[in-house]
Structure formats: structure tokens, C-alpha cells
Amino acid sequence: MSLCKDRVVIITGAGGGLGRAYALAFAEAGAKVLVNDINLPAAEAVVGEIRAAGGQAQANNGDITGYAAAGEIVRQALETFGDLHVLVNNAGICRDRMFASLGEADWDAVMEVHLKGHFCLASHAVKYWREQAKGGVAVQARIINTSSGAGLQGSIGQSNYAAAKGGIAALTLVQAAELGRYGITANALAPAARTGMTEQVFAETMKKPEDGFDYFAPENVAPLLVWLGSQESQAVSGRLFEVEGGKLSIADGWRRGPERDKGGRWQAEELGAVVEQLLGEAVPAQKVYGS
């Protein structure tokens, strides 16, 4: 399989779970992979697996939450492999609390790793790709972000995580709208898979079966990443994919629903009946996870 032959890919949080599955799948598809993880031995272990299978990879433990450090991650990919084509923003953390008990440190930590981490690396990658495009290179670059079902519909006990993941979904839409002129696509996914984070909460639900199809295996998500990272996906941008087991779907985002136009200013006393009518016509939102 050579769908991504010689394409250079940075994957964050690739020392285990989904990131490891992505790294192995990209390498199998012919890509050259920079395996980023804050845990350097874990990143090096994945690199070892890739090289043992005949692939090309390099380990990196740069800090995705620092702007200058993120620039060094991109620089390493360029110096090691000579180019960059795909950025997979996968790294994440959880600091779950009910909102009434959520502290500032828990809020800031999740925003920093998820939202700021997505920004820092993408900013450096985009600047590189924009300069290529301005220089006449036919760029076919990819940003692949990681949102979550929690970001799409909320999740009890995860207000910080849900807010960050919802922000990533919106960021993806803007990146897609702005960056297409340079040959860059931006898509996101909301994966349901067994990882270090999900096993803490859904250990019984997501445990590996003794036989048969491993529904929550991270490897089930990886083929979509490989395709999105390939040149074949150039026409697809600004989409959010949900992946679970053998299921693949495209999330239907926020859009304007039913409306009433008075042609002038509403009075507060009028709005109760009007809102009741609109709610009766609107498609009900999905329930918040855990509610």
C-alpha cells in the first residue's frame, strides 16, 4: 500500500493509543513519520516498530503548547525528511470535573494542550506551506484535527474538554475556509476508540474482546487518517468525521433553523410564544453525553 508514498507526516501524541495506530498506518502507506509524544521512550518505541517493518520515522518529544517549541517540531520534520505534507493534531489530556468543582488549573491545562496545541503546530506548518504556494509550488497539504463527540454535543463532567473540542471543530471550519487558496485542506475527526484516556472512563465498555471484531481498536480509525492525508482527499475540506468501529459518518454541524421575522424589534413579553413555536419546529439537539 503506497497511498501516502514519500509524504511527510507529523503526528502528535503518537506514543500510544490512536496516535500510535496512525503512525503505523501512515508508515505502512509509505509516509515518512515524525512521531511526537511528550514521553520520548514511547515515541522511540513506535519509531522502532516502524523501522523494523521497513518504514521511515523519527522520534520527537517537543512541547506542542509552546509556540517556539512547536516551530522546532516542524523544523525537525523538514530537516529530517526534507518536506512536510500532513499535520495530525492528536495529542490530548483530560481533567474531568463537574463544572461546579472545576478549577482554573484544570481548565487551563486542557485548553493549552488541545486548543493551543492545535494552533501552535498548525501555525508553523501553514507558514511553511504558504511560502511554498507563493513560490509557485503546487501544495497538497493537510491539517487533520481531533475533536470529539463531547465537543459536538457536550459531556457531563467534561465542560473543559467539551469546550476545547468544540473550539477545535470551529477552528477547523475557519482553517478550511481560509487556507484552501494555498492548497491546504483542514478536516477533523471525532473518534471513538480505546485509548489511555477513554480506558479510564469506559474500561468495561471498551475492553478488547477475546475474539471477533475489536470494535474499539484504535486501528479502526487509522485508515481514514491515511486517506485524508493522501493526495486523493484534495477536494475534501471543512468536514468533521465521526468514526466508531466500522461506522463512518460526517457530522451535521450548527446551521440556522426555523425563524420568525417581525420586521421590527421584539418585545420581551412576546417572545415566550414565539420561542415555543420555534422549538416545536426545530430539530432536537442530541443529548449531552451522560445526561
Side-chain angles (χ1 to χ4, degrees), residues 2 15 32 35 56 62 83 87 121 133 155 206 228 236 268 270:
S2 58
K32 303 170 184 177
V35 178
Q56 298 184 58
D83 208 343
L87 169 61
L121 268 173
S155 179
M206 290 190 170
L228 285 174
V236 179
E270 301 176 289

Side-chain angles (χ1 to χ4, degrees), residues 13 16-25 90 189 191-199 206-209 213-226 243-245:
L18 284 164
R20 172 183 171 274
Y22 301 161
L24 295 174
N90 168 72
L189 68 153
R194 187 172 55 252
T195 69
M197 289 195 301
T198 58
E199 281 185 312
M206 290 190 170
K207 69 179 181 181
K208 186 175 182 178
F213 178 49
D214 186 357
Y215 188 85
F216 288 108
E219 290 76 12
N220 298 336
V221 183
L224 173 63
L225 272 289
V226 171
V243 190
E244 179 181 327

